Amino acid sequence: KEPLLLMLYSPQGLLRSDSIPEVGEDAAATIGMAETLSEEEQDELRKELAKVEEEIQTLSQVLAAKEKHLAEIKRKLGINSLQELRQNITKSWQDVTSTTAYKRTSETLSQAGQKASAAFSSVGSVITKKFEDVRNSPTFKSFEEKVENLKSKVGGSKPAGGDFGEVLNSAANASATETIAEQTEEETH
């Protein structure tokens, strides 16, 4: 492994190049570097160090002043932290929804919802068919006749709602329609 070279710079120009030990090299060699510099070179480096530290301090102060000015502008415009958070969330959501993964997932879920809706509709049709089968069965016909006979003995004429089979059929259709309407509502939200 070749050690890295450090170029020392001063206002007078390039002074010299020193090697910097890499990871795993003797730490004592690093400590000894200061001893190999002349007194003049050390003074130059200390001045450079002080200058860089001063520049860092100045830049920190300028940044603080800029941040204060930014906060003042936002206050005057009526922009608060909550509004910024909302804007960030909105932007993030837009970024997410524009990704290919989101679009694929959305399409897949939409297709699954359509298939589920079709399945529920099919289930409603099956239930309606089963009610019709029951209504047309001899046992139900016998039961319906007995109810009609009892109704005619007790109350007289048929109510406006129709016979028992019509009421059952109507209830089954309403249940299937209600299920499909709920699914459609959930898909739109």
Side-chain angles (χ1 to χ4, degrees):
K1 268 183 170 179
E2 290 294 319
L4 298 173
L5 292 179
L6 171 66
M7 306 301 256
L8 298 177
Y9 180 77
S10 71
Q12 293 85 13
L14 190 60
L15 292 177
R16 63 186 235 215
S17 64
D18 285 325
S19 64
I20 297 178
E22 290 193 18
V23 175
E25 288 190 25
D26 190 6
T30 306
I31 296 171
M33 280 181 93
E35 296 171 6
T36 62
L37 296 174
S38 69
E39 196 65 35
E40 185 179 309
E41 289 171 329
Q42 288 181 13
D43 286 342
E44 278 297 318
L45 287 175
R46 285 188 191 103
K47 287 178 187 175
E48 184 72 19
L49 178 64
K51 181 180 173 187
V52 170
E53 287 175 341
E54 185 179 323
E55 287 174 355
I56 290 171
Q57 181 65 31
T58 302
L59 290 172
S60 294
Q61 291 170 352
V62 169
L63 179 61
K66 293 279 185 186
E67 287 174 340
K68 184 177 179 182
H69 184 67
L70 175 71
E72 182 64 23
I73 291 171
K74 285 181 179 181
R75 186 190 61 75
K76 287 180 181 177
L77 289 173
I79 299 172
N80 60 32
S81 299
L82 184 58
Q83 288 172 324
E84 285 186 76
L85 179 63
R86 284 183 189 151
Q87 289 172 349
N88 289 340
I89 290 172
T90 301
K91 171 112 176 60
S92 296
W93 180 246
Q94 288 171 345
D95 292 345
V96 166
T97 57
S98 67
T99 63
T100 305
Y102 176 84
K103 289 177 182 175
R104 284 184 192 154
T105 303
S106 178
E107 289 170 8
T108 302
L109 290 175
S110 176
Q111 291 170 358
Q114 290 170 355
K115 288 178 182 178
S117 177
F120 284 122
S121 176
S122 176
V123 167
S125 297
V126 168
I127 290 172
T128 301
K129 175 77 172 110
K130 288 294 179 186
F131 275 134
E132 287 175 9
D133 291 346
V134 167
R135 185 175 152 238
N136 294 329
S137 73
T139 306
F140 186 80
K141 291 277 186 192
S142 172
F143 176 73
E144 187 178 30
E145 286 174 14
K146 288 178 183 177
V147 169
E148 289 297 324
N149 286 337
L150 182 63
K151 221 169 44 170
S152 64
K153 289 179 184 176
V154 173
S157 64
K158 281 187 173 181
D163 68 11
F164 189 65
E166 289 174 352
V167 171
L168 274 179
N169 218 3
S170 169
N173 286 333
S175 174
T177 304
E178 188 176 291
T179 303
I180 292 170
E182 288 172 359
Q183 289 171 351
T184 305
E185 186 177 308
E186 288 175 6
E187 287 175 6
T188 58
H189 293 293

